[in-house]
Amino acid sequence: RDDLMRSPAVTFVRGDAFAFEPEGVVDWLLCDVVAFPERVFELLSTWLTRRRCRRFCVTIKFRGAEDYGWLARFKELLQAGGGDFFLRRLTNNKNEVTAAGVVTDA
């Protein structure tokens, strides 16, 4: 959206979501890329363990029931971070789960 792109609070960076490394800690990691759950897990794990963000909202997309086992791994990752988080299947996202939360000590 044009109004978002004009906001001084937003920095848009075009590139590879999995290779991007911010120069410092950012307020939000927002991730809604089409990728296998294991790739999104790696991305979120890296951002959380390196404390690259203060908050996050990540969409986990599943190909089918065989991918749902990843939910337990995401939950373990988020619990290990010690911050507040949730994993929710939002109403209109049939085969997706959203993980959002706050990173402690970021």
Side-chain angles (χ1 to χ4, degrees), residues 12-32:
F12 177 78
V13 179
R14 183 178 306 272
D16 182 344
F18 300 101
F20 175 73
E21 293 192 29
E23 293 179 15
V25 177
V26 298
D27 288 328
W28 282 94
L29 163 63
L30 301 174
C31 178
D32 189 26

Side-chain angles (χ1 to χ4, degrees), residues 54 68 91:
R54 293 180 182 85
Y68 294 149
T91 304

Side-chain angles (χ1 to χ4, degrees), residues 6 10 15 23 27 35 47 49 57 64 68 77 84 90 106:
R6 287 190 303 269
V10 174
E23 293 179 15
D27 288 328
W47 277 68
T49 57
C57 184
Y68 294 149
L77 172 67
D84 293 328
L90 302 177

Side-chain angles (χ1 to χ4, degrees), residues 30-66:
L30 301 174
C31 178
D32 189 26
V33 297
V34 177
F36 294 124
E38 50 268 32
R39 289 293 313 263
V40 176
F41 181 87
E42 291 170 12
L43 176 86
L44 185 58
S45 178
T46 298
W47 277 68
L48 296 182
T49 57
R50 295 183 183 169
R51 302 294 198 245
R52 291 182 174 168
C53 60
R54 293 180 182 85
R55 293 168 216 83
F56 61 91
C57 184
V58 175
T59 303
I60 308 156
K61 300 174 187 323
F62 302 106
R63 294 165 288 195
E66 68 274 5

